[in-house]
Amino acid sequence: MSLICKCYDETETLCNCLQTDYHFEYTECDSSGSRWRVAVPNPAVECSGLPDPVRGKECTFSCASGEYLEMKNQVCSKCAEGTYSLGSGIKFDEWDELPAGFSNVATFMDTAVGSSEGKADSCSNSSWTPRGNYIESNRDDCTVSLIYAVHLKKSGSVFFEYQYIDNNIFFEFFIQNDQCKEMESTANKWVKLTDNGEWGSHSVTLQSGSNILYWRTTGILMGSKVVKPVLVKNITIEGVAYTSECFACKPGTFSDKPGASGCQVCPRDTYSEKGAKECTKCKEEMYYAEEGSSACIERPPCTSKDFFQIHTPCDKEGKTQIMYKWIEPKICREDLPDAFTLPPSGERQDCPPCNPGFYNNASSSCTPCPPGTFSDGTQECKACPAGTEPALGFEYKWWNILPGNMKTSCFNVGNSKCDGMNGWEVAGDHIQSGAGGSDNDYLILSLNIPGFKPPTSVTGATGSELGRITFIFETICSADCVLYFMADVNRKNTNVVESWERSKERQSYTHIISKNASFTFTWAFQRINEGQDSRQFVNDMAKIYSITVTNAVDGVASACRACALGSPQSGSSCMPCPPGHYIERESSQCRECPANTFLSIHQLYGSEACVPCGPGSKSTKDHSACFSDCLVSYVKDNQSLNYNFSNLSQVGSLMSGPSFTSRGTKFFHFFNISLCGNEGKKMAICTDNITDVTLKDMVAESEDFSNFVGAFVCQSTIIPSDSKGFRTALALQSNSLADRFLGATVETTLENISIKADMFPPSPSKIPDVHFYYKSSTVTTSCENGRATVVTMRCNPSKPDQGELSVPSSCPAGTCDGCTFYFLWESAEACPLCTEQDYHEIEGACKKGFQETLYVWNEPKHCIKGVPLPEKKTSTCETVDFWLKVGAGVGAFTAVLLIALTCYFWKKNQKLEYKYSKLVMTTNSKECELPAADSCAIMEGEDNEEEIVYSNKQSLLGKLKSLATKEKEDNFESVQLKSSRSQNI
């Protein structure tokens, strides 16, 4: 029905609608799956007489690829030339601006630090940025979400391509329904890392109904390093019920046939505008265009940046020619004023010698030496003498041609300008990065080594080093260039081993190989990491002067090394020595290393190949390494201290921090410490948890898992769950701090590793600390000698069981220089074993004839286990009560005896006094008369009652003394005799 806008009268305000005034849409589907087609006026149009609604196609109806649903007749029609359609899908491949329906939301999701409003304001300029062919994420530590909502009538899918090379930025993709609930299809929302310069793909199923798609990135800025952004392109959503129009081909592409499901890219030197049916050729000599260009560019005058020199292969005369070539594709003009022209080529120079292990057999190329022979590159290959074998490997130091096991390429994430170019060019004594197509190209050089093995004489050894790769390089840059060194194990995943930014002086770097696997080593040089395709820094370059690989499976030999001879029956061929055996110089036979020594992989000839283990350590059975059995002894001043740290042999953990980035993001340093290991096996494990690999896969492929670290001491950076709004804490940047045990001693210095006296607070006890020393074989630019770790064990009886781990207060990250780490482990289990000198005895009282002797520890007690405390001892004794009774009895008997003797002698003395007194009285009564012969004796029956008078009377005690001495001394008494006779006279 054709409608004509017509006013019926002057008062009529609405006219009948024209076909251009409205469009058709479908209503929402009802419960029966039906819907209606209705006419809807276009914006800012007012008219009447719209067509009546009609029943529409079923809700699940869709057209095929290259078709669209023509709503007027409700039939599928083919897309016209210059357009395309996916049928039931939509595709976003043009990113000059943010497409309709997409939105950006930026937040600072650290809920633990500072004001959320202030942090949110700091992220106001952070967003996903369109870059033409792709969209680029933020480069800061804000959390930015790219959001797109789609309503599906039936189940479908979403597919996109991406680049994600930096694990310092977290990349999630998840889907929510209209209730903001995450869909089960994105339960594992972490997107897997990709290799440098490669695009990965990701697809997820979509359910019917509302689906809100989130591409979310969160940067973690550790230090001043800027994170590499995530790139996303070609977002395709399948499952849309219908599309009512076709999409115009984007500029630089075209569609020359009806019913196209996609557009083709315009070839080089052509261009197209949006919706083109064909590409237009640029004017010759005046303009040029890269592949997929939307316009032609005027050719600039040629400069010295537009050509480079190479060396031709050596000819039969041993000469090479210096050749100059334009960088392809050539975009400059030589006919303009001040334009450079190509310098003349053909200058002949002497060819450099062949690389070691190769020889020139009178030809223009170098040939690898046959097996069993060697050459230094200047002489013919010679057979190794008896008792020696070729030292296989590669040593590239002359760069006339690219070695056969090396490749070079160029890659750009946003265009194909440098596809097919050589990323690196040989230059005689070095190989250097090429010009590339633009400054943000990745210039790639790769070396493939199918495997590593130690020398024949040490086959079966389990040492930590199977080989090593060493290269000498320098970078010359005027911008923010980066040189990456990467390693791919068994073609599974390429990981950055080390990187160098800006200009670096000529230096050497070594990477240790500890696993026998296929390796691909890659050097990638990028001048700038920006979105624009410029050519301002083409003179910035990286140079590699030499690359040396040891113990390569398919290597060549530049020299021979000693090996063990076989039996006489087997001739002079080499035979493998058993593990832990060296080659004796005199006999070229295998000899086992002495006890407590380990075999050096760099020295196999002579007894000096066996390196003594450090103090407090012993060697493994195969002499491949030294380990601690957790037993340490120390003797000083005739006192022996023995320590047993077996109860601390399990892995100890320490979380230090928190620390904060410059933007306030909170993070912790997490350490795992395996003090003694398990007979040399490193038990501490650290791993990153930002990966889509399941735990089961991680365990099954732990040796290949790039973020799985096993060591004596390892470290991870932990972002807590409350710091960035994640559901769980995140672990990243896992690395090994110690993979070799050096020794355990009370000395504060071992192998140039020292502990400062004020590193930790002094010990409250006089028990000396024991220090465990470790070393890491990994060399970094900041730690040229590798990392070192010291764990100080301190006796602290107040901290039982596992005790407490800490780091120096002056170095909260455990290190002050980033190379040497210090830890203090305080525990009662770190005290020495007890001896007889650690206790004393106490004797108890004698009770009932028995006495107990008790043994108690000296206080404070600073020992554990060892000599046990003796049981109490009981012995017989005589009690104090018995002797008291004996003493009392003897005293009483002595007293009675003394009294009896006193009485006896006193009575006897009385009788003598009576006799003498009577004699004296008789004498006094008869003065002057001679006494009659009278008896002085007392007659029987006569009483002794006469008075006795002494002239010198003694005391009773004196008399007793005199009687006791039985007149041993002469004692005389002067007695005055009075008698009658004397009176008579």
Side-chain angles (χ1 to χ4, degrees), residues 136-174:
E136 178 183 284
S137 75
N138 59 310
R139 297 168 179 255
D140 52 26
D141 54 355
C142 295
T143 297
V144 184
S145 296
L146 179 67
I147 305 173
Y148 184 79
V150 61
H151 187 83
L152 302 183
K153 301 300 182 181
K154 58 182 180 179
S155 60
S157 64
V158 58
F159 169 88
F160 61 90
E161 296 179 68
Y162 70 96
Q163 269 212 0
Y164 176 31
I165 62 175
D166 192 347
N167 60 5
N168 288 313
I169 188 169
F170 303 144
F171 183 28
E172 311 166 77
F173 176 74
F174 58 95

mmCIF file of all heavy atoms in Angstrom, residues 136-174:
data_model
loop_
_atom_site.group_PDB
_atom_site.id
_atom_site.type_symbol
_atom_site.label_atom_id
_atom_site.label_comp_id
_atom_site.label_asym_id
_atom_site.label_seq_id
_atom_site.Cartn_x
_atom_site.Cartn_y
_atom_site.Cartn_z
ATOM 1 N N GLU A 136 42.207 -1.620 22.718
ATOM 2 C CA GLU A 136 43.308 -1.814 23.660
ATOM 3 C C GLU A 136 42.839 -1.486 25.074
ATOM 4 O O GLU A 136 42.151 -0.499 25.309
ATOM 5 C CB GLU A 136 44.476 -0.917 23.262
ATOM 6 C CG GLU A 136 45.676 -0.963 24.162
ATOM 7 C CD GLU A 136 46.740 0.028 23.711
ATOM 8 O OE1 GLU A 136 47.437 -0.269 22.720
ATOM 9 O OE2 GLU A 136 46.854 1.111 24.336
ATOM 10 N N SER A 137 43.268 -2.319 26.047
ATOM 11 C CA SER A 137 42.871 -2.113 27.443
ATOM 12 C C SER A 137 43.695 -1.006 28.089
ATOM 13 O O SER A 137 44.618 -0.450 27.481
ATOM 14 C CB SER A 137 43.037 -3.407 28.235
ATOM 15 O OG SER A 137 44.416 -3.650 28.492
ATOM 16 N N ASN A 138 43.392 -0.734 29.336
ATOM 17 C CA ASN A 138 44.152 0.247 30.107
ATOM 18 C C ASN A 138 45.549 -0.265 30.401
ATOM 19 O O ASN A 138 45.822 -1.469 30.382
ATOM 20 C CB ASN A 138 43.430 0.558 31.415
ATOM 21 C CG ASN A 138 43.224 -0.680 32.265
ATOM 22 O OD1 ASN A 138 42.726 -1.695 31.768
ATOM 23 N ND2 ASN A 138 43.580 -0.613 33.530
ATOM 24 N N ARG A 139 46.474 0.669 30.735
ATOM 25 C CA ARG A 139 47.857 0.319 31.064
ATOM 26 C C ARG A 139 48.192 0.629 32.526
ATOM 27 O O ARG A 139 49.345 0.538 32.919
ATOM 28 C CB ARG A 139 48.830 1.088 30.168
ATOM 29 C CG ARG A 139 48.696 0.768 28.679
ATOM 30 C CD ARG A 139 49.479 1.771 27.850
ATOM 31 N NE ARG A 139 49.399 1.487 26.418
ATOM 32 C CZ ARG A 139 50.388 0.956 25.705
ATOM 33 N NH1 ARG A 139 51.532 0.659 26.279
ATOM 34 N NH2 ARG A 139 50.245 0.737 24.418
ATOM 35 N N ASP A 140 47.198 1.055 33.301
ATOM 36 C CA ASP A 140 47.450 1.430 34.688
ATOM 37 C C ASP A 140 46.859 0.371 35.618
ATOM 38 O O ASP A 140 46.480 -0.715 35.193
ATOM 39 C CB ASP A 140 46.865 2.815 34.982
ATOM 40 C CG ASP A 140 45.392 2.905 34.562
ATOM 41 O OD1 ASP A 140 44.723 1.853 34.520
ATOM 42 O OD2 ASP A 140 44.934 4.023 34.267
ATOM 43 N N ASP A 141 46.793 0.688 36.926
ATOM 44 C CA ASP A 141 46.292 -0.279 37.901
ATOM 45 C C ASP A 141 44.826 -0.041 38.248
ATOM 46 O O ASP A 141 44.363 -0.426 39.319
ATOM 47 C CB ASP A 141 47.139 -0.260 39.177
ATOM 48 C CG ASP A 141 47.259 1.126 39.790
ATOM 49 O OD1 ASP A 141 46.756 2.080 39.166
ATOM 50 O OD2 ASP A 141 47.854 1.256 40.865
ATOM 51 N N CYS A 142 44.100 0.593 37.334
ATOM 52 C CA CYS A 142 42.653 0.698 37.496
ATOM 53 C C CYS A 142 41.988 -0.572 36.974
ATOM 54 O O CYS A 142 42.574 -1.339 36.220
ATOM 55 C CB CYS A 142 42.112 1.916 36.744
ATOM 56 S SG CYS A 142 42.709 3.496 37.386
ATOM 57 N N THR A 143 40.749 -0.766 37.382
ATOM 58 C CA THR A 143 39.935 -1.867 36.883
ATOM 59 C C THR A 143 38.945 -1.295 35.882
ATOM 60 O O THR A 143 38.118 -0.461 36.233
ATOM 61 C CB THR A 143 39.195 -2.564 38.036
ATOM 62 O OG1 THR A 143 40.155 -3.132 38.926
ATOM 63 C CG2 THR A 143 38.294 -3.666 37.507
ATOM 64 N N VAL A 144 39.065 -1.737 34.623
ATOM 65 C CA VAL A 144 38.255 -1.185 33.540
ATOM 66 C C VAL A 144 37.489 -2.323 32.882
ATOM 67 O O VAL A 144 38.067 -3.351 32.516
ATOM 68 C CB VAL A 144 39.123 -0.451 32.498
ATOM 69 C CG1 VAL A 144 38.241 0.188 31.434
ATOM 70 C CG2 VAL A 144 39.989 0.598 33.177
ATOM 71 N N SER A 145 36.189 -2.132 32.720
ATOM 72 C CA SER A 145 35.324 -3.144 32.107
ATOM 73 C C SER A 145 34.779 -2.617 30.786
ATOM 74 O O SER A 145 34.268 -1.496 30.714
ATOM 75 C CB SER A 145 34.155 -3.488 33.044
ATOM 76 O OG SER A 145 34.625 -4.072 34.240
ATOM 77 N N LEU A 146 34.909 -3.434 29.748
ATOM 78 C CA LEU A 146 34.260 -3.198 28.469
ATOM 79 C C LEU A 146 32.982 -4.033 28.471
ATOM 80 O O LEU A 146 33.041 -5.256 28.611
ATOM 81 C CB LEU A 146 35.182 -3.596 27.322
ATOM 82 C CG LEU A 146 34.638 -3.426 25.905
ATOM 83 C CD1 LEU A 146 34.443 -1.950 25.573
ATOM 84 C CD2 LEU A 146 35.571 -4.079 24.888
ATOM 85 N N ILE A 147 31.830 -3.385 28.323
ATOM 86 C CA ILE A 147 30.545 -4.046 28.555
ATOM 87 C C ILE A 147 29.696 -3.977 27.288
ATOM 88 O O ILE A 147 29.654 -2.942 26.602
ATOM 89 C CB ILE A 147 29.796 -3.382 29.734
ATOM 90 C CG1 ILE A 147 30.687 -3.363 30.984
ATOM 91 C CG2 ILE A 147 28.495 -4.111 30.015
ATOM 92 C CD1 ILE A 147 30.095 -2.575 32.132
ATOM 93 N N TYR A 148 29.033 -5.105 26.997
ATOM 94 C CA TYR A 148 28.081 -5.138 25.889
ATOM 95 C C TYR A 148 26.919 -6.039 26.290
ATOM 96 O O TYR A 148 27.140 -7.156 26.783
ATOM 97 C CB TYR A 148 28.731 -5.664 24.610
ATOM 98 C CG TYR A 148 27.818 -5.637 23.409
ATOM 99 C CD1 TYR A 148 27.586 -4.460 22.718
ATOM 100 C CD2 TYR A 148 27.176 -6.795 22.979
ATOM 101 C CE1 TYR A 148 26.751 -4.421 21.606
ATOM 102 C CE2 TYR A 148 26.333 -6.764 21.869
ATOM 103 C CZ TYR A 148 26.126 -5.579 21.189
ATOM 104 O OH TYR A 148 25.288 -5.533 20.100
ATOM 105 N N ALA A 149 25.690 -5.542 26.088
ATOM 106 C CA ALA A 149 24.490 -6.303 26.443
ATOM 107 C C ALA A 149 23.800 -6.762 25.166
ATOM 108 O O ALA A 149 23.666 -5.988 24.208
ATOM 109 C CB ALA A 149 23.552 -5.458 27.293
ATOM 110 N N VAL A 150 23.361 -8.037 25.161
ATOM 111 C CA VAL A 150 22.674 -8.585 24.007
ATOM 112 C C VAL A 150 21.551 -9.489 24.496
ATOM 113 O O VAL A 150 21.694 -10.185 25.516
ATOM 114 C CB VAL A 150 23.647 -9.362 23.092
ATOM 115 C CG1 VAL A 150 24.271 -10.536 23.832
ATOM 116 C CG2 VAL A 150 22.959 -9.826 21.818
ATOM 117 N N HIS A 151 20.440 -9.460 23.788
ATOM 118 C CA HIS A 151 19.296 -10.305 24.124
ATOM 119 C C HIS A 151 19.123 -11.348 23.021
ATOM 120 O O HIS A 151 18.955 -10.993 21.840
ATOM 121 C CB HIS A 151 18.021 -9.470 24.265
ATOM 122 C CG HIS A 151 16.856 -10.261 24.779
ATOM 123 N ND1 HIS A 151 16.653 -10.498 26.122
ATOM 124 C CD2 HIS A 151 15.836 -10.879 24.123
ATOM 125 C CE1 HIS A 151 15.560 -11.217 26.275
ATOM 126 N NE2 HIS A 151 15.042 -11.463 25.076
ATOM 127 N N LEU A 152 19.207 -12.612 23.376
ATOM 128 C CA LEU A 152 19.137 -13.707 22.412
ATOM 129 C C LEU A 152 17.798 -14.422 22.516
ATOM 130 O O LEU A 152 17.309 -14.684 23.620
ATOM 131 C CB LEU A 152 20.275 -14.707 22.645
ATOM 132 C CG LEU A 152 21.704 -14.168 22.577
ATOM 133 C CD1 LEU A 152 22.696 -15.302 22.753
ATOM 134 C CD2 LEU A 152 21.959 -13.434 21.271
ATOM 135 N N LYS A 153 17.232 -14.732 21.363
ATOM 136 C CA LYS A 153 15.992 -15.507 21.336
ATOM 137 C C LYS A 153 16.260 -16.998 21.466
ATOM 138 O O LYS A 153 15.381 -17.772 21.825
ATOM 139 C CB LYS A 153 15.241 -15.236 20.029
ATOM 140 C CG LYS A 153 14.873 -13.775 19.825
ATOM 141 C CD LYS A 153 13.970 -13.264 20.941
ATOM 142 C CE LYS A 153 13.570 -11.819 20.698
ATOM 143 N NZ LYS A 153 12.712 -11.298 21.777
ATOM 144 N N LYS A 154 17.499 -17.396 21.189
ATOM 145 C CA LYS A 154 17.888 -18.787 21.328
ATOM 146 C C LYS A 154 19.343 -18.822 21.787
ATOM 147 O O LYS A 154 20.046 -17.804 21.753
ATOM 148 C CB LYS A 154 17.727 -19.532 20.008
ATOM 149 C CG LYS A 154 18.525 -18.944 18.850
ATOM 150 C CD LYS A 154 18.277 -19.704 17.560
ATOM 151 C CE LYS A 154 19.086 -19.094 16.402
ATOM 152 N NZ LYS A 154 18.874 -19.842 15.141
ATOM 153 N N SER A 155 19.790 -19.968 22.227
ATOM 154 C CA SER A 155 21.162 -20.089 22.717
ATOM 155 C C SER A 155 22.144 -19.800 21.585
ATOM 156 O O SER A 155 21.869 -20.089 20.405
ATOM 157 C CB SER A 155 21.408 -21.483 23.293
ATOM 158 O OG SER A 155 21.192 -22.473 22.300
ATOM 159 N N GLY A 156 23.281 -19.247 21.932
ATOM 160 C CA GLY A 156 24.286 -18.900 20.928
ATOM 161 C C GLY A 156 25.680 -18.945 21.517
ATOM 162 O O GLY A 156 25.969 -19.735 22.434
ATOM 163 N N SER A 157 26.561 -18.064 21.050
ATOM 164 C CA SER A 157 27.950 -18.064 21.523
ATOM 165 C C SER A 157 28.568 -16.700 21.262
ATOM 166 O O SER A 157 28.056 -15.908 20.458
ATOM 167 C CB SER A 157 28.762 -19.151 20.821
ATOM 168 O OG SER A 157 28.851 -18.882 19.431
ATOM 169 N N VAL A 158 29.670 -16.438 21.948
ATOM 170 C CA VAL A 158 30.468 -15.250 21.710
ATOM 171 C C VAL A 158 31.899 -15.702 21.458
ATOM 172 O O VAL A 158 32.417 -16.601 22.134
ATOM 173 C CB VAL A 158 30.390 -14.259 22.893
ATOM 174 C CG1 VAL A 158 30.842 -14.921 24.190
ATOM 175 C CG2 VAL A 158 31.247 -13.023 22.622
ATOM 176 N N PHE A 159 32.528 -15.097 20.479
ATOM 177 C CA PHE A 159 33.897 -15.450 20.080
ATOM 178 C C PHE A 159 34.676 -14.157 19.904
ATOM 179 O O PHE A 159 34.157 -13.170 19.372
ATOM 180 C CB PHE A 159 33.875 -16.243 18.767
ATOM 181 C CG PHE A 159 35.222 -16.420 18.130
ATOM 182 C CD1 PHE A 159 36.030 -17.494 18.458
ATOM 183 C CD2 PHE A 159 35.689 -15.495 17.193
ATOM 184 C CE1 PHE A 159 37.278 -17.642 17.867
ATOM 185 C CE2 PHE A 159 36.940 -15.647 16.603
ATOM 186 C CZ PHE A 159 37.733 -16.726 16.946
ATOM 187 N N PHE A 160 35.946 -14.167 20.351
ATOM 188 C CA PHE A 160 36.802 -13.011 20.107
ATOM 189 C C PHE A 160 38.255 -13.456 20.073
ATOM 190 O O PHE A 160 38.622 -14.503 20.617
ATOM 191 C CB PHE A 160 36.593 -11.918 21.169
ATOM 192 C CG PHE A 160 36.916 -12.337 22.577
ATOM 193 C CD1 PHE A 160 38.193 -12.175 23.115
ATOM 194 C CD2 PHE A 160 35.934 -12.895 23.388
ATOM 195 C CE1 PHE A 160 38.478 -12.551 24.408
ATOM 196 C CE2 PHE A 160 36.211 -13.278 24.689
ATOM 197 C CZ PHE A 160 37.486 -13.108 25.202
ATOM 198 N N GLU A 161 39.072 -12.648 19.430
ATOM 199 C CA GLU A 161 40.523 -12.863 19.388
ATOM 200 C C GLU A 161 41.176 -11.852 20.321
ATOM 201 O O GLU A 161 40.680 -10.725 20.481
ATOM 202 C CB GLU A 161 41.050 -12.716 17.968
ATOM 203 C CG GLU A 161 40.514 -13.750 16.989
ATOM 204 C CD GLU A 161 41.059 -13.547 15.594
ATOM 205 O OE1 GLU A 161 42.269 -13.762 15.396
ATOM 206 O OE2 GLU A 161 40.269 -13.148 14.710
ATOM 207 N N TYR A 162 42.305 -12.238 20.908
ATOM 208 C CA TYR A 162 42.933 -11.364 21.898
ATOM 209 C C TYR A 162 44.433 -11.614 21.958
ATOM 210 O O TYR A 162 44.934 -12.658 21.504
ATOM 211 C CB TYR A 162 42.326 -11.616 23.286
ATOM 212 C CG TYR A 162 42.707 -12.958 23.882
ATOM 213 C CD1 TYR A 162 43.772 -13.064 24.781
ATOM 214 C CD2 TYR A 162 42.024 -14.120 23.538
ATOM 215 C CE1 TYR A 162 44.135 -14.286 25.316
ATOM 216 C CE2 TYR A 162 42.373 -15.334 24.065
ATOM 217 C CZ TYR A 162 43.431 -15.417 24.960
ATOM 218 O OH TYR A 162 43.796 -16.630 25.476
ATOM 219 N N GLN A 163 45.132 -10.637 22.518
ATOM 220 C CA GLN A 163 46.546 -10.763 22.878
ATOM 221 C C GLN A 163 46.689 -10.398 24.343
ATOM 222 O O GLN A 163 46.269 -9.322 24.772
ATOM 223 C CB GLN A 163 47.421 -9.832 22.033
ATOM 224 C CG GLN A 163 47.939 -10.474 20.775
ATOM 225 C CD GLN A 163 49.306 -9.939 20.389
ATOM 226 O OE1 GLN A 163 49.866 -9.084 21.063
ATOM 227 N NE2 GLN A 163 49.835 -10.433 19.316
ATOM 228 N N TYR A 164 47.296 -11.315 25.094
ATOM 229 C CA TYR A 164 47.455 -11.136 26.546
ATOM 230 C C TYR A 164 48.813 -11.708 26.914
ATOM 231 O O TYR A 164 48.969 -12.907 27.083
ATOM 232 C CB TYR A 164 46.310 -11.847 27.265
ATOM 233 C CG TYR A 164 46.378 -11.842 28.780
ATOM 234 C CD1 TYR A 164 46.969 -10.800 29.484
ATOM 235 C CD2 TYR A 164 45.816 -12.893 29.503
ATOM 236 C CE1 TYR A 164 47.016 -10.812 30.867
ATOM 237 C CE2 TYR A 164 45.851 -12.907 30.883
ATOM 238 C CZ TYR A 164 46.451 -11.871 31.561
ATOM 239 O OH TYR A 164 46.492 -11.884 32.928
ATOM 240 N N ILE A 165 49.829 -10.838 27.023
ATOM 241 C CA ILE A 165 51.203 -11.305 27.189
ATOM 242 C C ILE A 165 51.818 -10.919 28.524
ATOM 243 O O ILE A 165 52.912 -11.377 28.847
ATOM 244 C CB ILE A 165 52.096 -10.759 26.052
ATOM 245 C CG1 ILE A 165 52.143 -9.232 26.084
ATOM 246 C CG2 ILE A 165 51.610 -11.263 24.697
ATOM 247 C CD1 ILE A 165 53.103 -8.624 25.074
ATOM 248 N N ASP A 166 51.150 -10.098 29.300
ATOM 249 C CA ASP A 166 51.743 -9.573 30.536
ATOM 250 C C ASP A 166 50.898 -10.022 31.724
ATOM 251 O O ASP A 166 49.731 -9.637 31.847
ATOM 252 C CB ASP A 166 51.799 -8.044 30.485
ATOM 253 C CG ASP A 166 52.653 -7.449 31.600
ATOM 254 O OD1 ASP A 166 52.984 -8.192 32.550
ATOM 255 O OD2 ASP A 166 52.980 -6.254 31.522
ATOM 256 N N ASN A 167 51.498 -10.850 32.610
ATOM 257 C CA ASN A 167 50.729 -11.311 33.766
ATOM 258 C C ASN A 167 50.671 -10.288 34.886
ATOM 259 O O ASN A 167 50.156 -10.579 35.966
ATOM 260 C CB ASN A 167 51.304 -12.625 34.299
ATOM 261 C CG ASN A 167 52.751 -12.497 34.754
ATOM 262 O OD1 ASN A 167 53.320 -11.406 34.762
ATOM 263 N ND2 ASN A 167 53.369 -13.613 35.098
ATOM 264 N N ASN A 168 51.166 -9.068 34.640
ATOM 265 C CA ASN A 168 50.976 -7.984 35.608
ATOM 266 C C ASN A 168 49.640 -7.279 35.415
ATOM 267 O O ASN A 168 49.344 -6.311 36.116
ATOM 268 C CB ASN A 168 52.112 -6.965 35.490
ATOM 269 C CG ASN A 168 53.414 -7.509 36.027
ATOM 270 O OD1 ASN A 168 53.449 -8.080 37.104
ATOM 271 N ND2 ASN A 168 54.485 -7.333 35.275
ATOM 272 N N ILE A 169 48.881 -7.735 34.448
ATOM 273 C CA ILE A 169 47.514 -7.241 34.276
ATOM 274 C C ILE A 169 46.602 -8.466 34.236
ATOM 275 O O ILE A 169 46.900 -9.456 33.567
ATOM 276 C CB ILE A 169 47.395 -6.384 32.996
ATOM 277 C CG1 ILE A 169 46.018 -5.711 32.936
ATOM 278 C CG2 ILE A 169 47.677 -7.183 31.746
ATOM 279 C CD1 ILE A 169 45.920 -4.653 31.848
ATOM 280 N N PHE A 170 45.528 -8.424 35.007
ATOM 281 C CA PHE A 170 44.598 -9.544 35.081
ATOM 282 C C PHE A 170 43.481 -9.342 34.068
ATOM 283 O O PHE A 170 42.884 -8.267 34.000
ATOM 284 C CB PHE A 170 44.008 -9.666 36.494
ATOM 285 C CG PHE A 170 45.053 -9.828 37.550
ATOM 286 C CD1 PHE A 170 44.883 -9.250 38.797
ATOM 287 C CD2 PHE A 170 46.213 -10.541 37.312
ATOM 288 C CE1 PHE A 170 45.847 -9.382 39.780
ATOM 289 C CE2 PHE A 170 47.178 -10.681 38.285
ATOM 290 C CZ PHE A 170 46.993 -10.105 39.519
ATOM 291 N N PHE A 171 43.210 -10.381 33.303
ATOM 292 C CA PHE A 171 42.226 -10.304 32.232
ATOM 293 C C PHE A 171 41.135 -11.335 32.493
ATOM 294 O O PHE A 171 41.404 -12.531 32.564
ATOM 295 C CB PHE A 171 42.913 -10.551 30.885
ATOM 296 C CG PHE A 171 41.997 -10.427 29.694
ATOM 297 C CD1 PHE A 171 40.877 -9.598 29.715
ATOM 298 C CD2 PHE A 171 42.258 -11.134 28.538
ATOM 299 C CE1 PHE A 171 40.041 -9.488 28.625
ATOM 300 C CE2 PHE A 171 41.434 -11.035 27.438
ATOM 301 C CZ PHE A 171 40.326 -10.210 27.479
ATOM 302 N N GLU A 172 39.891 -10.829 32.652
ATOM 303 C CA GLU A 172 38.744 -11.700 32.893
ATOM 304 C C GLU A 172 37.707 -11.489 31.795
ATOM 305 O O GLU A 172 37.540 -10.371 31.305
ATOM 306 C CB GLU A 172 38.070 -11.380 34.230
ATOM 307 C CG GLU A 172 38.994 -11.276 35.424
ATOM 308 C CD GLU A 172 38.290 -10.630 36.601
ATOM 309 O OE1 GLU A 172 37.499 -11.319 37.256
ATOM 310 O OE2 GLU A 172 38.509 -9.423 36.830
ATOM 311 N N PHE A 173 37.035 -12.566 31.451
ATOM 312 C CA PHE A 173 35.850 -12.458 30.606
ATOM 313 C C PHE A 173 34.738 -13.267 31.264
ATOM 314 O O PHE A 173 34.904 -14.459 31.533
ATOM 315 C CB PHE A 173 36.105 -12.978 29.198
ATOM 316 C CG PHE A 173 34.858 -12.970 28.349
ATOM 317 C CD1 PHE A 173 34.353 -11.781 27.860
ATOM 318 C CD2 PHE A 173 34.174 -14.141 28.078
ATOM 319 C CE1 PHE A 173 33.187 -11.756 27.105
ATOM 320 C CE2 PHE A 173 33.013 -14.136 27.323
ATOM 321 C CZ PHE A 173 32.514 -12.935 26.834
ATOM 322 N N PHE A 174 33.611 -12.611 31.546
ATOM 323 C CA PHE A 174 32.511 -13.315 32.182
ATOM 324 C C PHE A 174 31.193 -12.721 31.698
ATOM 325 O O PHE A 174 31.148 -11.649 31.071
ATOM 326 C CB PHE A 174 32.613 -13.255 33.710
ATOM 327 C CG PHE A 174 32.638 -11.868 34.288
ATOM 328 C CD1 PHE A 174 31.475 -11.254 34.739
ATOM 329 C CD2 PHE A 174 33.837 -11.175 34.397
ATOM 330 C CE1 PHE A 174 31.502 -9.987 35.272
ATOM 331 C CE2 PHE A 174 33.874 -9.901 34.932
ATOM 332 C CZ PHE A 174 32.703 -9.301 35.371
#
